[in-house]
Amino acid sequence: MTIKDIARECGCAVGTVSRVLNDHPDVSVKMREKVLSVVEKYGFILNANAKQLKEQTRRTIVILVKGTSSILLNSLLERIQKRIEPLLYNASVVVLDEYDNEARVANRIYYEHKPVGIIFLGGSPDLFPSDFARIPVPCVLISNESRLMEGGNLSSVSTDNFAAAQYSTDYLVSMGHRRIGVIGGDLGGSGISQRRYDGFMSSLSKNGIPFDYERSYVKSKYSFEDGAKAARLLVERYPDLTAIFAMSDVMAIGAMRCLFDMGRKVPDDVSIVGFDGIPLCEYYQPRLTTIRQQTELLSDEGLGILLGCIEKSGPARNKFIPFEFMEGESVKRLC
């Protein structure tokens, strides 16, 4: 007598029998009684060892996504899930707010569910060393570099955020812009935002351009809505700016919409550059100038490193994926 035999006699699906045997609540009282009567009739005993073996065959990798509306992170997530699907792993996805402590959440999840590995999409778990230190399984941070020393259990695969932001700012300066505002993330809680800000400031310093943080930097979540709100506030504080460096494409596109509503044309009145290279940049009017991150390489390399650490006890690694600068139509030459 097997579960299939019980399902056949009860006239129900195998899954229904399985839910009854595992005491799941989502089965009708009538069907539950029918299944249990057949089980009693034949003296069926669920093979707990076989069940446990099946569950252990597919181990869990937890994926923590930092940010509820990031198109880039959603693209990375989709590819990683597809790559994991044919493997002997389950992918469990948890979405966090941008201001959550991802290391603390990961710590709690590990001790509750015992995954074999953790993927951080976005975020900066190394900013919370005491919380992260209690996680004993291999982890990989994708889209941001880790500052933890190699030899631990946190690998990273990312674009060089410092170099890419510096490159974009150098481009704005080369086009004659010196009055530049920034729409960016929370510098205290986001390693990505801090590195992009540092790259931006490095370019200004190199070119002898002063920067008034209180007037010229507006904090924003990585979303269209917050990018639009930040643009309005930035223009109110700094009405004679000529260019904006936005730390993500969604911020930049939200800002461009707001500038249009305010009667300011891009790039005639205000130039803008983004960061990420999401597909929408190619179809927005004007086409957005931005840094393109290579999402396929980021996701494939990140997952590959994590699996190497899980299956072969490989060492933690930090790797940069080359970025591409996409010159669109959103920057005007002033000189």
Side-chain angles (χ1 to χ4, degrees), residues 100-168:
D100 286 341
N101 177 337
E102 59 271 29
R104 182 176 301 163
V105 173
N107 190 294
R108 175 179 55 78
I109 288 174
Y110 171 75
Y111 284 100
E112 288 178 358
H113 302 287
K114 297 297 190 294
V116 295
I118 299 175
I119 297 173
F120 294 90
L121 293 184
S124 307
D126 52 356
L127 292 181
F128 312 99
S130 60
D131 291 311
F132 184 80
R134 295 193 293 273
I135 304 172
V137 294
C139 301
V140 63
L141 170 60
I142 301 178
S143 81
N144 189 15
E145 57 266 37
S146 168
R147 290 183 175 177
L148 294 179
M149 296 295 292
E150 291 193 16
N153 65 335
L154 180 62
S155 299
S156 68
V157 178
S158 71
T159 298
D160 187 335
N161 290 286
F162 179 97
Q166 185 179 57
Y167 191 101
S168 291

Side-chain angles (χ1 to χ4, degrees), residues 5 17 24 47 132 138 140 173 187-188 224 230 239 257 266 269-270:
D5 296 325
V17 176
H24 282 244
N47 188 334
F132 184 80
V140 63
V173 173
L187 300 183
F224 294 114
R257 178 67 229 187
V266 176
D269 299 319
V270 180

